[in-house]
Amino acid sequence: MASDWRPTATVTALRERALIVSTLRAFFEARGSLEVETPHLVASPGVDAHLDAPSVALDGRTLYLATSPEYAMKRLLAAGSGAIHQLGAAFRAGERGRLHEPQFTMLEWYEPGADDAGCMDTTEALVRAAASVHDGKLRFGGEESDASVGGPAFARTTFRDAFSAVTGTDPLHPDTGRLGRLLRAAGVRTESACSSEELIDLTLGAVVQPELGLDVPVFVTDWPADRAGLARLRPGRDRDGAIAAARFELYACGVELCNGYHELSDPLEQRARIEQENALRRAMDKVPYPVDEQFLAALEAGLPDCAGNALGIDRLVTLVLGLDSIGASRTFLAGC
Amino acid sequence: MAVLQHTDLRKGVKIELDGQPFLIIDSDFVKPGKGQAFTRCRVKNYLNGNTIERTIKSNEKIDKADIESTTCQYLYADGEYFHFMDGTTYDQYRFTEENVGECVKWLAENIEYNVLFWNGRALSVEAPNHVELEITQCDPGVAGNTAQGATKPATLSTGAIVNVPLFVNENDWIRVDTRTGDYTERVKK
């Protein structure tokens, strides 16, 4: 409706959002981190089978709106920036919903010398600082999770344990009949039959995630190697020989708030993963993305040992203020 | 037939599933960490009124339901069919009781309804959000009962029963919200 000109957020929510953002900036400043801005318009967006970047025609070239500033920030790290953080727009084509927007605001930071456990400590302190702007509680969908300063420690659990605890079956060796029954009980009925990977994704999204972080926020750690993203793999093997990635996500009230890694720094392994994701994209009839040779050259030159995290600011504000969708935390919806 | 992508699956969009027409009541996008995306939809079947949930994978294509609507006046019922007329073209259409569904409670002459056709076949009838109808039966208000918000049941000319304030009487005309079945106000006729 053309007459529907009003913002999707209240002015009160926008004031509190601004307070949260300034609190986060102060948090990083106090830790000596450098705020940076990298271009949103990039020649190569993050290469991920399930992330689609909007493309933009610019001066006769095809550029993309970055799905995350990860490649550029790692080039800064390799150039000796030290700890850096960035607050800015990130873009995802085909994503819109209560917790998704094609343009959203991402806080991404890197801590040289830290591993994933250290980065989780930082994340926990940061989320408490943001929640203290309101009443220390995170709320969504009728659930409440305690993130108050001095409140209980955030929980930490591996992906396998979190999945098994909710479903009663190991995600690496799933009882697919059981997953099918759980999905039907959750009201999920798909149009066509699911592959076992789709069954895991669906169960994760519709059955497991809604149960995560209901009383206190929970870090889900040690994701399977085939869901490593840009995390390094753990040197040791899991209890039955499986390899886990040094990747974590934070959940509160069933909502995923961030995705962090002990960063992969091996350029050969990184190139292989990019090519693998592009192969998956081709198999799904999606366009492959250009390989970012400058990013790979930066890894060749040497990425300092570091951990990094990307946190959705709109979701964090939504939970801190107890709003019902991320639209209520942003001024306007993209394209509306 | 138009084919929809999962991003088109929003509230109010009409789709075909299992060869039947559905209206999307609500939808949400679910994307587990680094995994494939899904759109969970609550959909209402136009044929039987049932609401079910369906989950569409991001790589699936869904057919758009070819549903057209036009505004018609209600003419009369003959015991088998309900007859409507397009006031512009004077075309007449007949709908079964199943097609009319819940809307039967609000059917009165000279009110304009939204009638829907699916692939050219009569599908359903939607009442306007508000209709004005006459009360044909209701008890007088009890004298002395001045409790705020006290109501009594009233039967309308269409047979619908609506709770009305005590000051409203038989043969009064009232405005009713058809979405909730609630009394809105008394109107002069």
Side-chain angles (χ1 to χ4, degrees), chain A residues 120-203:
Chain A
M120 282 189 262
D121 293 341
T122 307
T123 306
E124 182 167 342
L126 175 154
V127 169
R128 286 189 203 281
S132 72
V133 167
H134 201 68
D135 67 352
K137 299 286 200 293
L138 304 177
R139 296 184 182 86
F140 191 78
E143 302 293 342
E144 186 177 294
S145 199
D146 188 350
S148 56
V149 174
F154 291 6
R156 296 186 186 194
T157 177
T158 66
F159 172 82
R160 282 181 89 174
D161 288 345
F163 194 98
S164 306
V166 176
T167 64
T169 185
D170 183 348
L172 300 190
H173 311 284
D175 173 348
T176 52
R178 188 180 182 91
L179 295 184
R181 286 193 296 280
L182 284 169
L183 285 170
R184 280 194 293 280
V188 174
R189 200 180 140 205
T190 53
E191 282 298 279
S192 56
C194 288
S195 68
S196 59
E197 194 190 343
E198 285 175 338
L199 262 183
I200 296 285
D201 280 344
L202 254 185
T203 307

Side-chain angles (χ1 to χ4, degrees), chain B residues 65-76:
Chain B
D66 176 15
I67 291 179
E68 291 185 355
S69 70
T70 182
T71 307
C72 282
Q73 280 183 4
Y74 172 60
L75 297 176
Y76 64 96

Side-chain angles (χ1 to χ4, degrees), chain A residues 50 95 186 191-193, chain B residues 28 31 40 54-55 57 60:
Chain A
H50 298 298
E95 301 195 5
E191 282 298 279
S192 56
Chain B
D28 200 22
K31 186 161 191 194
R40 296 186 70 175
R54 267 306 167 88
T55 298
K57 299 179 208 169
E60 285 176 329

Side-chain angles (χ1 to χ4, degrees), chain A residues 305-326:
Chain A
D305 184 27
C306 65
N309 195 7
L311 185 144
I313 291 297
D314 312 290
R315 289 188 184 180
L316 181 62
V317 171
T318 297
L319 267 61
V320 169
L321 303 186
L323 306 174
D324 64 359
S325 72
I326 62 170

Side-chain angles (χ1 to χ4, degrees), chain B residues 104-165:
Chain B
V104 72
K105 290 193 297 196
W106 314 117
L107 279 190
E109 286 169 37
N110 299 321
I111 294 179
E112 298 219 304
Y113 299 84
N114 202 24
V115 302
L116 302 183
F117 301 89
W118 171 48
N119 297 331
R121 278 168 43 202
L123 181 63
S124 68
V125 178
E126 292 172 349
N129 291 344
H130 295 93
V131 291
E132 292 177 1
L133 295 166
E134 187 181 4
I135 295 177
T136 52
Q137 196 280 317
C138 106
D139 295 329
V142 181
N145 185 344
T146 56
Q148 284 290 318
T151 61
K152 60 183 179 180
T155 306
L156 307 182
S157 57
T158 61
I161 297 172
V162 171
N163 283 319
V164 299

